[in-house]
Amino acid sequence: MSDIVIHCNEEKGQKFIKDVKGKEFLFSFVISYTETAETPGITVAGADPDFLKFTPPADAEFLHYGFCKSIDVIPMTPDGKPTPALLTKAALESAEIPQVVINAGSKIAPKLPYFETSLIPGKNIALEPGLEQSLVERAIDYGRILGRTLASCTDCLIIGESIPGGTTTALAVLKSFGINAHVSSSMPNNPESLKNEIVEKALKRSDSKDPFKIIANAGDPMIPFVAGMLSSASEITNVILAGGTQMTAVLALAEAIGYDKDRTALGTTSYIIDDKSANLLEIVKSISDIPVLSINPKLEDSKFSGLRAYSEGFVKEGVGAGGSIIASILKAGMDSQKLLELIDKEYERISSSK
Amino acid sequence: MSDIVIHCNEEKGQKFIKDVKGKEFLFSFVISYTETAETPGITVAGADPDFLKFTPPADAEFLHYGFCKSIDVIPMTPDGKPTPALLTKAALESAEIPQVVINAGSKIAPKLPYFETSLIPGKNIALEPGLEQSLVERAIDYGRILGRTLASCTDCLIIGESIPGGTTTALAVLKSFGINAHVSSSMPNNPESLKNEIVEKALKRSDSKDPFKIIANAGDPMIPFVAGMLSSASEITNVILAGGTQMTAVLALAEAIGYDKDRTALGTTSYIIDDKSANLLEIVKSISDIPVLSINPKLEDSKFSGLRAYSEGFVKEGVGAGGSIIASILKAGMDSQKLLELIDKEYERISSSK
C-alpha cells in the first residue's frame, strides 16, 4: 500500500483504503465530446481535428481488445507517446477488474457493447452554451440510474473519462463556481492563455450562480453525467473518481446535487499532483473534504522514451489511469514495479504490431 | 427453497441451488425484435402491429421506472392482463437484485441507459433469412464480450429476454437442429398451425446442419447474442437462462459454440412446464443435461383476474419472470406467498394509475 499517497483528508483517505482493500472493483469508462476541443492548439489528444472525435471510442476499444477498431492506427503520437489507456489496461488486467464503457455524448460510438445514454456532444463553449439545460438534467438523471446499477454490482466503482478538450470546460465550470483553478494539460507547455481566452468568453455569457445553469453554459456532457453517477453510486458503495482536474468540476456539481463524501475519493497519477501549472489539491480542498489518492507509475524508469515522456510532462493522466493503478494495488496487491513491467510489455506489444 | 422444483438433472439442480444460495445475482434483460412477429395472429404481446415494436422497450422501462416512457399506456391488455415484467419487477425489487438492459436488435431503443450492441432487428423468416451470417457471428462475439463483463460482477447472472414472435423463430431453430419441439404461446389457444406454417417456409429455404447457418436462416438476433453471453459468462460464474422454449433455442446453439454445463440452469414458471401444448423438458433433455428449475407463482390466488389469467394459460412467462422469482427465493429467501402479495400490490398500483 505504501505506493499510494494520501492527500487532503488523511483520515478519510486511510479509512477509504481500509474499506476497499482486497474487495471487488468495477471500472466504468465514460466517453464524451465537446466541440471546444476543435479549437486549434487546445489538446494533444489527436492533434488532427478530424481525428479528435475518434480518441474516446479508440481508447475504449483499446481497453477491450488491445487494439482499436474505429481507427486503423495504434493509439500513440507519431513520436511514440501512447494513450494513457495503455496504463489503465495493464492495471485492470493485472488485477482482473472488469470494465464497462458508457457513451455519454461521444461523437463516435465505440465498436463494442457499451452503455448508451442518448446524450449528444457538447458545443464549443467559446461560441455558445455547452449544452441545453434540459440535457444537463437528463445527463444527471441517467447518470444516477447507471450509477445505482453499477454500484450494486461492486464494492468500489471506479469512474474514468475520455473527453478531448475536457480540461477547458472543467476550467470554465470551476471558475463559474468561483473557484480559483489552474488545470493540467496533456502538453508540457500548458496552453493556459488559450484556455483562459475560451473560458472568458463562456463566463461573459452568464454570471448565474445556479449550478445547473453553470454546467449548461460552461460545461460538457461528461460533467453532469458523472456527477449523477457519483451521487447515486456513493449512496450504495465506494467510488473512486479517476482523473485530474476534470473530476473536480464533477465534484463541484456533485456538491449541489448531493453525494456521500465518506465513500468518495479522487484517484490520480503523481504527474497531476506534481504539475506546477495546476493546483488540483487546492481545488479539491475548496470544494470538499474528500481524500485524494495518488500513485507514481514510475514511468521515468520505463525502457521506452514514449512512456518516459509521461514523467516529463506529457499526457500525465487520462482514461482513469491513476485510479485504475490504485485499484489494482488495493485489490490485488500489485506494486508499481510489477505494473511498470506489464506497462512496458504492453508498449512493446503495440509497437511491434505497427 | 421448497417452492423451487428441479426437473431433468436433479443432481446438478441441487448443486446449482447450493452454489448460488444467498449469493449476489444480476439480472440482464435482452430486448430484441424479429419481423416474424408482424404475421397477424402470432403473438399476444401488443396485438396491434404498430404497437409490437414498443413491447420490449416498454418492458425495460417498466422494470426500471415502474411505468413506460416509450408508450403512453400501462403495459397490460385491454382486459387487464399485465406484462410479465410486473412479476419480474416485484421479484427483483424484493431481493434487491440489480438489472441491466441490453438492446440486441430491438426496433425501438428504451428511454433509459442500456447496453447498445449495434445489432439490427431480424427479418421475417417466412419470407427471407432471419439475419445475415456476419450478424450471427457479431451477435455471438458481442454476447461473449458482455457475458464476460457481467459475469465478472456477480455470483449468478440471470438472462431474460423480450422479443415478440420469438417462440416462432425458436421453433424454427429447434426444428432445423432436428429437435422434435412444440413451443409455448402467450395465448391459451396456441396458434401452432400458424407457427408451423412459418417454420415450414423457413425450413424449405435451407437444409444446412451448420449451426451458424441454421441461426441465420431461421433465427432472430436474441438467440446468437444470448448464446454468446452464456458461453463466456458460464466460464466465470453461474448462469440462469430465464425463460421458456426460446431459451432452448439458445441452448441448441450454445452446444455448438461451447459453455459450462455445470454452471448453467434454465429457470422458468410452472405455467411453461405444465403447458400441454409444449414439451420444454423433452426439448432440454434432447439438447443438454442441464437442470431446469421451475416456480409456481401461484397467481391463481391473486386478487385480480388479470393476474389469475396467467394460471389459465395466458402469457405464462416472459421478461425472465420465472428465473427472477427463483433468484429472489435463492438470494433473499422470499417465498411465493410473500411475492404474490408484492405482485398484487404492484398490479394495484399500475391499475390505479390508469
Side-chain angles (χ1 to χ4, degrees), chain B residues 220-252:
Chain B
D220 59 54
M222 183 281 290
I223 296 171
F225 188 84
V226 174
M229 284 181 75
L230 170 63
S231 175
S232 61
S234 62
E235 285 169 21
I236 297 168
T237 197
N238 300 287
V239 180
I240 296 176
L241 290 176
T245 29
Q246 284 159 269
M247 287 301 178
T248 63
V250 169
L251 273 182

Side-chain angles (χ1 to χ4, degrees), chain A residues 18-316:
Chain A
K18 194 169 149 269
D19 286 348
V20 300
K21 198 179 157 181
K23 295 288 183 68
E24 293 299 326
F25 289 74
L26 172 60
F27 181 71
S28 58
F29 180 42
V30 179
I31 63 175
S32 189
Y33 192 79
T34 165
E35 288 172 3
T36 313
E38 294 165 15
T39 313
I42 207 81
T43 175
V44 78
D48 174 357
D50 282 339
F51 202 72
L52 266 179
K53 61 186 176 201
F54 287 105
T55 307
D59 277 338
E61 290 157 9
F62 182 79
L63 276 188
H64 253 81
Y65 299 113
F67 57 91
C68 303
K69 290 198 158 190
S70 292
I71 52 173
D72 221 12
V73 293
I74 51 170
M76 52 167 78
T77 58
D79 60 343
K81 297 179 192 82
T83 167
L86 189 147
L87 279 61
T88 308
K89 181 170 184 285
L92 297 179
E93 285 182 359
S94 74
E96 294 187 355
I97 295 172
Q99 49 169 302
V100 293
V101 175
I102 302 161
N103 180 357
S106 171
K107 230 174 182 170
I108 307 284
K111 292 189 193 299
L112 50 81
Y114 62 91
F115 270 114
E116 176 57 52
T117 63
S118 75
L119 296 172
I120 55 171
K123 302 290 181 193
N124 184 345
I125 62 163
L127 307 174
E128 58 190 314
L131 49 171
E132 282 175 33
Q133 178 100 21
S134 64
L135 275 189
V136 175
E137 281 155 28
R138 198 169 74 202
I140 293 173
D141 278 354
Y142 274 31
R144 277 200 168 115
I145 293 175
L146 208 47
R148 201 173 296 123
T149 301
L150 298 178
S152 304
C153 302
T154 187
D155 303 313
C156 184
L157 181 65
I158 315 159
I159 311 177
E161 52 68 40
S162 175
I163 172 168
T167 53
T168 304
T169 40
L171 182 65
V173 165
L174 291 167
K175 289 206 168 172
S176 300
F177 273 108
I179 296 161
N180 175 26
H182 300 277
V183 302
S184 287
S185 163
S186 49
M187 296 175 284
N189 297 318
N190 194 343
E192 208 181 349
S193 65
L194 180 57
K195 287 183 183 179
N196 280 325
E197 236 172 76
I198 296 171
V199 169
E200 284 311 311
K201 284 179 187 162
L203 263 65
K204 249 184 215 157
R205 247 190 332 262
S206 164
D207 59 0
S208 173
K209 290 296 156 213
D210 176 82
F212 287 62
K213 286 188 177 144
I214 286 175
I215 303 300
N217 182 56
D220 59 53
M222 183 282 290
I223 295 171
F225 188 84
V226 175
M229 285 181 75
L230 170 64
S231 175
S232 61
S234 63
E235 284 170 22
I236 298 168
T237 197
N238 300 288
V239 180
I240 296 176
L241 290 175
T245 30
Q246 284 158 271
M247 287 301 179
T248 63
V250 169
L251 273 181
L253 174 58
E255 284 290 308
I257 64 172
Y259 68 108
D260 189 337
K261 294 176 193 183
D262 292 329
R263 286 202 275 217
T264 303
L266 195 145
T268 194
T269 63
S270 59
Y271 308 132
I272 294 291
I273 304 291
D274 298 341
D275 184 357
K276 296 277 180 289
S277 73
N279 60 342
L280 180 83
L281 300 178
E282 293 311 310
I283 298 172
V284 172
K285 276 183 215 161
S286 73
I287 298 170
S288 174
D289 71 340
I290 66 158
V292 174
L293 311 177
S294 78
I295 185 73
N296 183 348
K298 301 204 177 113
L299 296 180
E300 71 268 26
D301 298 334
S302 170
K303 288 192 272 181
F304 303 101
S305 65
L307 283 166
R308 288 197 299 273
Y310 273 63
S311 63
E312 292 150 12
F314 289 92
V315 195
K316 296 190 189 75

Side-chain angles (χ1 to χ4, degrees), chain B residues 86-105:
Chain B
L86 188 147
L87 279 59
T88 309
K89 181 170 184 283
L92 297 179
E93 285 182 359
S94 74
E96 294 188 356
I97 295 173
Q99 50 168 302
V100 293
V101 175
I102 301 162
N103 180 358

Side-chain angles (χ1 to χ4, degrees), chain A residues 310-333:
Chain A
Y310 273 63
S311 63
E312 292 150 12
F314 289 92
V315 195
K316 296 190 189 75
E317 169 64 288
V319 193
S324 300
I325 295 174
I326 289 168
S328 72
I329 295 170
L330 291 172
K331 178 181 175 188

Side-chain angles (χ1 to χ4, degrees), chain B residues 9 44 87 207 210 214 279:
Chain B
N9 194 322
V44 78
L87 279 59
D207 58 0
D210 176 83
I214 286 175
N279 60 343

